[in-house]
Amino acid sequence: MKSYAIDFEYQDMGSSYRLVCCSINPKSGITENYWLLDGSDTEKLKARLNEIQTEYHMLVAHAVERAEARCLIMLGIDPRNFKWFDTYLTAKCLTNSNQTLPKRKTKTADGEEIEESNEDFFGRELNLLACLKRFKISHSLTAEEKTDYRDTIINGTDAKIEAAKDGIMAYCASDVADLHLLAAAEYRTYLKRYENAIRLWNNAGLYNEGPMAHVLGWGRTAAIYAVIWARGIPVWKRHAEAMLNNGPKVREGLIVQLNAKYPGIALGRGYKAVKHSIRQEYVQNKIKALSIKGWPMTATGKYKADDKTLKNYENSDPFIADYREYLKTTRNFAAFAKGALTPRFNSARSTFHPDACCYGTQTGRCGAKPSTGFVPGFSKVLRTLVHPNDNSSLVGIDFSGEENCLMAGWSGDERFKAAYLSNDFYLYICASFGLCPQYDESTGTFKEYKAKYKQTRNLIKPIVLGLGYGRG
């Protein structure tokens, strides 16, 4: 199997891409460049890709779902017909999706001690330069030069882009020249993690495929999500347009609705200084009145009210559940209110075209981004925007413990099977490690037991699932 590094430059139009150029580098070969802005090399590139596709070789790229896979779709080529090594997704799995590292203290030439920013050391979005830097691979262009070329591509007129053609092609070619080195470095690192995982499971059959199959599986996921982006999420056109055109009014209605149930929580109309127009003092007093032992605090001594904290305690009081649902709805709806979803909406097809978050969740699973139009991920109210096909219905299904069932079966571990067959898999694991007591019927109902140790359960869940998904 041969490998080809590939990189596209393009303009993101929201629900489609406009291609500018492409570079392909066969391993141990000469880089091939194709100029696509005026269509001069489009047919030649398609013929070359079809040749590679026929031989079913591997493509190496960075951020396949957002870039190369979508660009292939714009050329009329199905990205699922290739094997993909995505250096971006591999980096996410190797770092548990941590996009920054702890700050390091360094000294200036004058001896002054300063903190080096996370972005300078590793890169905020795990971009290509950041990953190359992490694996000590030198790159021919600086971050400033890459930014200048990218700005020209994104914001420049056709005439300006054409004038910078040679530089842009060199910029594109510089990326593919280093992708093979990055892929090799990442694979060596993942191979060590894989071997450690095998030892951890006492050589059980949980990992019945080799590490390259894992890596290629991540790449295939990216290609599938690119197809979902291209096809879009079908929505009710009239309702979607109403949401896009009347965002602020709908948002205000949500606040009025919450204030009707909890008088005094909302600030007066026209007050814009506080996020969500909600009186944070009211929320703080409500949480304080619950007298819940162990509620997390902020550095300034206030009760935390982020989604993760509210999720842990939403069973403690109806207000916490209602406030969390309100925050989730307004957070999902913010994209409508700010107009961010307008370019994502294809009015002719009545579809939204969302980005994916491949292997980017805390547990290592995939989750398309509601902020870019993945309507099924919206809060309950906004999910009604989805439009089922004619003569069909839409059903929401959540498999219970699907991954744990598979891991129990593949591993052959009897304790793992016992955990899966228990009342709650994650609480069983917690009790096995002494993080909570085993459930005892004499102490109350299982529902009460689960609510009491919900926070502990939420801590162990990403660890167990992350191990199954190959996280580092």
Side-chain angles (χ1 to χ4, degrees):
M1 179 176 65
K2 295 181 180 178
S3 63
Y4 296 80
I6 184 169
D7 184 59
F8 279 90
E9 301 305 328
Y10 55 88
Q11 293 178 330
D12 185 349
M13 315 302 288
S15 60
S16 65
Y17 278 12
R18 187 165 181 247
L19 306 185
V20 174
C21 64
C22 174
S23 290
I24 297 177
N25 179 272
K27 193 171 184 179
S28 303
I30 299 173
T31 298
E32 308 162 12
N33 296 317
Y34 303 87
W35 189 250
L36 308 174
L37 185 66
D38 58 2
S40 57
D41 291 336
T42 301
E43 292 305 316
K44 185 164 53 171
L45 173 61
K46 289 168 70 174
R48 182 69 171 115
L49 288 168
N50 283 325
E51 177 185 326
I52 297 172
Q53 173 183 308
T54 301
E55 298 172 355
Y56 202 49
H57 292 315
M58 181 175 72
L59 297 181
V60 180
H62 196 77
V64 169
E65 188 271 328
R66 285 293 306 274
E68 279 63 44
R70 294 187 186 183
C71 291
L72 291 192
I73 292 172
M74 295 298 102
L75 292 170
I77 298 173
D78 191 333
R80 295 171 296 179
N81 292 338
F82 296 89
K83 294 179 180 178
W84 291 96
F85 189 122
D86 190 338
T87 52
Y88 170 69
L89 285 188
T90 307
K92 291 188 80 170
C93 290
L94 288 173
T95 61
N96 283 341
S97 201
N98 288 331
Q99 295 178 340
T100 55
L101 295 178
K103 291 185 178 181
R104 304 187 310 171
K105 289 186 177 181
T106 57
K107 289 185 178 181
T108 65
D110 300 328
E112 181 185 357
E113 191 175 74
I114 60 171
E115 281 191 341
E116 185 181 51
S117 74
N118 295 334
E119 288 79 7
D120 290 342
F121 181 63
F122 188 55
R124 184 170 177 78
E125 298 293 342
L126 292 181
N127 58 41
L128 180 58
L129 269 185
C131 292
L132 291 171
K133 187 175 182 180
R134 181 177 179 84
F135 289 98
K136 297 181 174 60
I137 300 171
S138 60
H139 192 62
S140 58
L141 294 180
T142 65
E144 292 75 18
E145 290 172 324
K146 289 177 73 69
T147 299
D148 288 343
Y149 282 124
R150 190 71 191 132
D151 285 344
T152 299
I153 294 166
I154 294 172
N155 303 312
T157 62
D158 284 5
K160 187 175 181 180
I161 294 173
E162 285 286 354
K165 177 179 177 179
D166 291 342
I168 290 173
M169 280 278 29
Y171 156 59
C172 188
S174 70
D175 286 349
V176 295
D178 295 324
L179 277 171
H180 288 297
L181 295 174
L182 178 59
E186 289 182 344
Y187 184 72
R188 285 193 298 269
T189 304
Y190 182 65
L191 182 59
K192 293 179 181 178
R193 302 276 181 88
Y194 175 88
E195 291 170 346
N196 287 336
I198 292 294
R199 284 193 290 271
L200 178 64
W201 286 96
N202 296 319
N203 296 314
L206 175 60
Y207 293 103
N208 56 0
E209 291 184 324
M212 181 54 77
H214 287 192
V215 173
L216 295 180
W218 301 334
R220 180 160 179 79
T221 301
I224 290 171
Y225 267 104
V227 173
I228 293 174
W229 166 83
R231 293 181 178 177
I233 307 295
V235 294
W236 296 98
K237 182 176 181 179
R238 184 168 61 86
H239 297 307
E241 290 178 340
M243 295 285 272
L244 290 168
N245 296 328
N246 300 289
K249 291 182 180 179
V250 179
R251 184 171 178 271
E252 185 176 312
L254 292 170
I255 296 172
V256 171
Q257 187 179 41
L258 187 68
N259 193 61
K261 191 169 185 178
Y262 301 100
I265 191 173
L267 292 162
R269 186 171 180 173
Y271 191 97
K272 299 179 180 179
V274 178
K275 187 179 180 181
H276 303 310
S277 298
I278 292 293
R279 288 179 59 225
Q280 294 303 313
E281 181 183 1
Y282 182 100
V283 175
Q284 289 291 310
N285 288 337
K286 269 285 191 180
I287 296 174
K288 183 179 180 180
L290 295 176
S291 301
I292 297 176
K293 186 178 180 181
W295 189 291
M297 308 294 287
T298 67
T300 57
K302 294 184 179 180
Y303 293 100
K304 284 190 175 182
D306 57 289
D307 183 72
K308 185 177 179 180
T309 302
L310 295 174
K311 181 180 180 180
N312 286 335
Y313 295 100
E314 64 181 344
N315 293 331
S316 61
D317 188 84
F319 170 76
I320 302 300
D322 290 340
Y323 184 56
R324 180 176 179 244
E325 181 64 23
Y326 162 77
L327 289 179
K328 184 178 180 181
T329 303
T330 51
R331 184 172 63 249
N332 291 159
F333 186 69
F336 285 98
K338 296 176 182 177
L341 287 184
T342 301
R344 299 278 181 171
F345 180 61
N346 186 320
S347 179
R349 294 173 52 195
S350 299
T351 48
F352 279 110
H353 298 263
D355 289 340
C357 186
C358 291
Y359 302 100
T361 65
Q362 190 180 30
T363 59
R365 292 178 286 186
C366 301
K369 295 182 179 180
S371 60
T372 59
F374 187 69
V375 186
F378 284 164
S379 61
K380 296 174 184 177
V381 176
L382 296 181
R383 284 179 216 158
T384 57
L385 282 171
V386 176
H387 183 188
N389 294 327
D390 294 338
N391 301 317
S392 63
S393 300
L394 185 68
V395 179
I397 299 175
D398 183 10
F399 288 102
S400 179
E402 179 183 20
E403 297 98 337
N404 300 324
C405 179
L406 293 172
M407 286 192 286
W410 286 339
S411 69
D413 189 312
E414 294 301 324
R415 290 175 300 173
F416 210 116
K417 292 179 181 178
Y420 177 73
L421 295 172
S422 67
N423 287 330
D424 187 283
F425 175 86
Y426 301 108
L427 285 174
Y428 186 98
I429 296 293
C430 289
S432 299
F433 283 100
L435 300 176
C436 70
Q438 288 284 6
Y439 172 60
D440 184 348
E441 292 183 358
S442 64
T443 61
T445 66
F446 184 78
K447 184 177 180 181
E448 293 170 337
Y449 168 77
K450 185 174 181 179
K452 183 176 181 179
Y453 296 103
K454 181 176 182 178
Q455 192 170 8
T456 306
R457 182 183 185 274
N458 288 343
L459 288 174
I460 206 73
K461 184 176 181 179
I463 297 173
V464 175
L465 287 174
L467 184 62
Y469 278 99
R471 297 296 289 275

